[in-house]
Amino acid sequence: MDSFSPDIIYMRMALREAQLAADEGEVPCGAVIVLNDQVIGKAHNQTETLNDPTAHAEILAITQATQTVGNWRLNGAVMYVTKEPCPMCAGALVLARIRKVIWGMTDPIRGGAVSKFKILNDADLNHAVEVETGLMEDDCKAVMQDFFRELRQSAKNRKLQQREIEE
């Protein structure tokens, strides 16, 4: 895919949001919502910062997008997100009438879109969301892996420091 294609540009924006999350000590997930070639919402995870379990990148981006357009229905909008949405976020995508979601890495353990749960295309719901996966997958995985590697290293260092204090 051309490195200047709109999909790549918007996913790079989502990756920048994910890096902001990582820099804040949040799980690095970023989301961007586009309608008619205009960014109408973008966000990153802030569950720790806001002390709110619903403050996922997708939810915050949807809230921003609905405020931007003045309507809770985001018909025709596309979301770019670094990781497959969880069940809560997948449900919000359906409720917001997002047309399509494009993500980088799947989440086989908690994925609510296609991996673990199939919320985006559940025939019992009133709206289906188109899905495209694997866009810039390696970049999206790298941000997540780096974050958790650093988190584990920090925890290991704290344990070592605690042992030194106790000795």
Side-chain angles (χ1 to χ4, degrees):
M1 183 174 282
D2 178 5
S3 63
F4 296 107
S5 77
D7 287 344
I8 297 294
I9 291 167
Y10 296 133
M11 185 58 84
R12 283 185 181 144
M13 291 175 75
L15 278 162
R16 282 194 292 277
E17 288 292 324
Q19 189 58 58
L20 288 172
D23 293 347
E24 295 171 6
E26 300 277 358
V27 174
C29 183
V32 172
I33 301 176
V34 177
L35 180 64
N36 301 324
D37 299 318
Q38 297 290 318
V39 173
I40 59 171
K42 65 181 181 173
H44 55 276
N45 278 358
Q46 295 188 47
T47 55
E48 299 296 333
T49 302
L50 298 176
N51 199 28
D52 180 354
T54 68
H56 290 198
E58 299 95 325
I59 301 294
L60 297 173
I62 288 170
T63 299
Q64 188 180 96
T66 59
Q67 291 171 352
T68 298
V69 300
N71 193 330
W72 64 268
R73 292 175 189 89
L74 298 175
N75 295 318
V78 177
M79 176 182 281
Y80 296 83
V81 63
T82 55
K83 172 183 106 39
E84 178 181 0
C86 72
M88 174 185 68
C89 294
L93 288 163
V94 170
L95 292 172
R97 313 295 197 275
I98 297 281
R99 179 179 64 82
K100 183 176 185 177
V101 63
I102 300 170
W103 68 77
M105 61 177 283
T106 58
D107 185 349
I109 296 170
R110 291 172 291 287
V114 297
S115 296
K116 180 77 172 178
F117 303 97
K118 315 251 185 294
I119 294 169
L120 295 182
N121 292 294
D122 187 318
D124 292 330
L125 298 176
N126 63 335
H127 178 74
V129 179
E130 295 175 44
V131 171
E132 184 179 319
T133 66
L135 180 63
M136 299 180 66
E137 182 175 16
D138 291 341
D139 297 290
C140 294
K141 282 182 178 179
V143 171
M144 192 70 70
Q145 290 168 341
D146 290 348
F147 173 78
F148 282 106
R149 184 179 308 109
E150 290 175 22
L151 196 64
R152 285 189 299 275
Q153 187 61 46
S154 293
K156 184 178 178 181
N157 289 343
R158 282 192 302 276
K159 285 182 184 178
L160 289 172
Q161 288 173 348
Q162 186 61 37
R163 283 186 195 153
E164 289 174 0
I165 290 169
E166 293 171 355
E167 292 177 350

